[in-house]
Amino acid sequence: MTSQTLATFTLHDGGGVPLVLLHGFPLDHRMWAACAAFLPPGTRAIGVDLPGAGHSDLDGFQPSIDHTADWVHRTMVEAGEGNAVVVGHSMGGYVALALAERHPGFVAGLGLVSTKSTADTEEARAKRLRIAAAVEASQTVDAVLSMPAALVGATTTERRRHLFPVLDLWIRAQSPAGVAWAQRAMAARPDRTAVLERFDAPVSVVVGAEDTITPLAEAEHMVKAAGTSARLSAGDGSLTLVPGVGHMSVVEDPQAVAAALGLLHGHVVAHR
Ligand code: MLT
């Protein structure tokens, strides 16, 4: 089955410019639910299932982060949303950066959570293509079931064990075709650091202090590229380092991530 738009979910009610929340891999919009609950009252948050994830179909296009960004844009425009604060976690951040490049008028602010603007190394690209082939061959998502151990930080491994079965449930719910598509799309994405150099709306970068997948150095690289766009207000907001969490910052400490996103959204609304 093909569909013209992606599945969207209202995760927090409110009016005005929405926060569009784009999930990481191999997950769907549900990873944002707890974080959205901590957003300031009146902040409208819309979760999107990216192609092949959760309730969104694949439509036969070649795997591509660019195409995914166009698809998110089309979905929002058809829903009557002229612009939004776009927030992406990890893979969702790659899509958010592609949106900022391809549809800059739509992106009123950019939240980059546990993500990076750099491209894959050849080694990382080859690993993604191997995983894509493995899930297709087995017609299961077994090849990505071990990911949670690497996704969360040491503190979560020790003190938030309850998150492991939740992540496992979310990953098992994904389709092998969707997992393969996303791996190939990520493998093909370019370095988008220059997009941040050109982007002139507010940028907020969030990273977990225990993230080994997209570590602090990647976050600092993005803040530096964004320059003055990343200064939300005098001296704060551009880079939020969340202590005690790894790559799944949004799930490991949803309140801390929501506080950073609330600041970004409030800044965008105040300066319109
Ligand atoms: C994610 O969390 O979306 C993935 O770790 C991103 C990636 O594989 O680059």
Side-chain angles (χ1 to χ4, degrees):
M1 192 180 99
T2 63
S3 69
Q4 293 307 305
T5 56
L6 297 168
T8 61
F9 303 83
T10 299
L11 299 178
H12 200 258
D13 275 325
V17 60
L19 269 175
V20 168
L21 302 174
L22 307 176
H23 61 82
F25 172 88
L27 303 166
D28 58 41
H29 74 279
R30 288 176 293 178
M31 63 157 281
W32 284 107
C35 179
F38 286 114
L39 288 169
T43 312
R44 190 157 54 104
I46 302 169
V48 179
D49 278 349
L50 296 175
H55 290 77
S56 288
D57 296 327
L58 289 171
D59 71 355
F61 280 86
Q62 288 299 307
S64 155
I65 294 292
D66 286 12
H67 176 60
T68 301
D70 294 348
W71 207 346
V72 172
H73 179 249
R74 185 176 67 202
T75 298
M76 289 300 141
V77 168
E78 286 188 11
E81 307 293 354
N83 60 13
V85 175
V86 178
V87 179
H89 170 263
S90 199
M91 176 177 73
Y94 310 155
V95 178
L97 283 167
L99 264 163
E101 179 174 46
R102 298 167 72 82
H103 305 281
F106 177 76
V107 185
L110 198 52
L112 298 168
V113 182
S114 309
T115 190
K116 59 186 177 188
S117 59
T118 51
D120 282 349
T121 60
E122 276 311 316
E123 191 187 349
R125 213 168 265 146
K127 183 173 174 201
R128 290 194 196 283
L129 301 183
R130 279 198 304 275
I131 292 174
V135 293
E136 280 178 343
S138 70
Q139 282 303 299
T140 71
V141 296
D142 289 358
V144 289
L145 284 180
S146 63
M147 279 186 73
L151 291 175
V152 302
T155 304
T156 294
T157 301
E158 201 181 310
R159 300 192 208 145
R160 303 182 190 104
R161 297 292 310 171
H162 62 282
L163 291 179
F164 281 87
V166 177
L167 289 166
D168 186 66
L169 186 81
W170 291 343
I171 294 173
R172 284 181 192 276
Q174 305 308 317
S175 72
V179 167
W181 196 93
Q183 284 289 21
R184 294 194 176 110
M186 287 192 281
R189 78 188 193 286
D191 186 312
R192 284 206 158 91
T193 306
V195 174
L196 283 168
E197 287 163 5
R198 292 193 298 270
F199 188 68
D200 64 0
V203 178
S204 175
V205 176
V206 180
V207 62
E210 299 172 5
D211 190 340
T212 55
I213 296 176
T214 51
L216 178 60
E218 293 283 0
E220 288 174 336
H221 180 69
M222 292 192 289
V223 170
K224 188 164 172 241
T228 52
S229 299
R231 271 178 230 133
L232 297 187
S233 57
D236 71 356
S238 57
L239 176 63
T240 303
L241 181 66
V242 185
V245 307
H247 187 62
M248 286 310 300
S249 54
V250 177
V251 176
E252 296 172 77
D253 191 347
Q255 193 165 3
V257 176
L261 300 183
L263 188 68
L264 169 67
H265 187 259
H267 182 84
V268 169
V269 169
H271 291 82
R272 278 166 83 77

